[in-house]
């Protein structure tokens, strides 16, 4: 997932971001409504996690503007306000979930995962290409029924290729989907991951190079 995290409490924001990245997600960190607007205008996000009160205003005002503009990015609001009226107001304006501080990190991760699934277009949980199975629910990969251990970035790249289903995926698409703006991947990082995936997936090769375009998952034999 690619997640936009807006929280002005630096230690809390960094703790949430570390946990999300450890689970293989890409996270862009901001601390103001102005920055939220800038990042939303420049990229697509699977989930937004916004502190309700930021230094330059109330996130509810921004959220209402987003919904009025038909932006349907799933949004979870974090807040120290625990009154029922505050939670109801947030949900009525357009928040998809509302979590009161302090909270358990495991609960936040679970809620983010639920929102991400809710925002996805309906598709099979298990994506199949030939004898390869990519289980997007469990984050597991099998070939011919054999479980293949992958690192988080390897899984993210393979899942993107599987979702595109035999269509070419560019280097820029891979970098945008699998890395966030705070990361500085090496210039050939996607080549290294593709090489590792090809080795782990074995023969016959399923990841094909599309010259001038990128890569694709395809079981068709190359001539």
């Amino acid at each position: 997932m690619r997640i936009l995290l807006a929280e002005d409490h630096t230690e809390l924001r960094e703790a949430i971001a570390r946990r999300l990245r450890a689970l293989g997600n890409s996270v862009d960190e901001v601390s103001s409504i102005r920055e939220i607007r800038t990042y939303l205008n420049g990229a697509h996000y699977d989930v937004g996690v916004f502190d309700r009160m930021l230094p330059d205003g109330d996130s509810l005002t921004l959220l209402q503007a987003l919904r009025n503009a038909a932006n349907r990015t799933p949004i979870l609001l974090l807040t120290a306000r625990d009154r029922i009226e505050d939670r109801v107001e947030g949900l009525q304006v357009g928040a998809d979930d509302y979590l009161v501080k302090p909270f358990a990190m495991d609960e936040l991760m679970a809620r983010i995962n639920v929102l991400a699934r809710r925002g996805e277009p309906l598709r099979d949980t298990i994506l199949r290409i030939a004898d390869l199975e990519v289980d997007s629910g469990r984050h597991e990969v099998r070939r011919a029924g054999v479980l293949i251990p992958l690192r988080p970035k390897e899984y993210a790249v393979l899942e993107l290729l599987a979702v595109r289903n035999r269509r070419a995926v560019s280097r820029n698409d891979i970098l945008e989907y699998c890395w966030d703006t705070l990361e500085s991947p090496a210039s050939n990082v996607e080549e290294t991951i593709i090489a590792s995936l090809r080795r782990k997936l074995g023969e016959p090769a399923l990841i094909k190079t599309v010259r001038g375009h990128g890569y694709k998952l395809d079981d068709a034999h190359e001539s």
Side-chain angles (χ1 to χ4, degrees):
M1 292 182 288
R2 187 169 191 182
I3 298 165
L4 180 59
L5 172 61
E7 167 63 63
D8 63 319
H9 189 287
T10 303
E11 290 184 6
L12 177 58
R13 185 183 68 248
E14 291 178 348
I16 295 171
R18 277 196 305 270
R19 182 66 176 274
L20 287 167
R21 291 189 180 110
L23 294 172
N25 301 295
S26 296
V27 185
D28 288 334
E29 300 177 50
V30 299
S31 58
S32 69
I33 289 175
R34 179 184 58 80
E35 289 176 307
I36 294 175
R37 292 184 186 276
T38 298
Y39 276 72
L40 286 177
N41 286 335
H44 166 78
Y45 292 92
D46 298 295
V47 177
V49 180
F50 301 163
D51 184 20
R52 175 162 175 180
M53 296 307 300
L54 292 168
D56 53 349
D58 189 334
S59 291
L60 280 191
T61 303
L62 170 64
L63 180 56
Q64 190 165 36
L66 292 175
R67 297 310 187 221
N68 289 341
N71 185 310
R72 295 293 174 254
T73 302
I75 303 295
L76 184 152
L77 289 179
L78 301 175
T79 182
R81 299 182 178 186
D82 60 358
R83 296 189 312 155
I84 294 295
E85 293 86 347
D86 291 321
R87 281 178 274 177
V88 170
E89 181 185 17
L91 295 171
Q92 287 179 336
V93 166
D96 297 275
D97 202 354
Y98 201 98
L99 189 57
V100 176
K101 302 176 182 178
F103 51 81
M105 196 66 77
D106 286 344
E107 180 180 3
L108 175 60
M109 297 301 111
R111 287 174 180 261
I112 290 172
N113 283 330
V114 168
L115 291 185
R117 291 198 300 269
R118 187 185 303 170
E120 289 176 343
L122 293 176
R123 67 173 188 235
D124 291 337
T125 302
I126 299 179
L127 306 166
R128 294 180 174 88
I129 300 286
D131 60 351
L132 178 70
E133 295 184 349
V134 180
D135 189 331
S136 60
R138 296 183 177 182
H139 282 208
E140 292 179 349
V141 173
R142 286 177 168 81
R143 186 159 195 192
V146 178
L147 182 65
I148 301 174
L150 296 180
R151 295 176 179 176
K153 293 299 185 188
E154 292 173 340
Y155 176 84
V157 171
L158 185 62
E159 182 185 53
L160 176 59
L161 293 171
V163 167
R164 293 293 178 88
N165 191 21
R166 298 179 173 86
R167 290 174 291 166
V169 179
S170 71
R171 178 180 187 273
N172 286 340
D173 286 343
I174 291 173
L175 294 178
E176 181 174 333
Y177 184 82
C178 302
W179 279 266
D180 57 55
T181 56
L182 290 184
E183 296 176 290
S184 299
S187 60
N188 64 339
V189 65
E190 86 287 351
E191 296 176 6
T192 302
I193 288 180
I194 291 293
S196 177
L197 284 171
R198 283 172 169 158
R199 184 176 64 255
K200 291 182 177 182
L201 295 179
E203 297 292 338
L206 292 176
I207 300 179
K208 311 294 175 62
T209 299
V210 183
R211 295 190 183 280
H213 295 281
Y215 307 94
K216 67 176 180 178
L217 266 181
D218 198 338
D219 55 346
H221 295 292
E222 296 178 333
S223 57

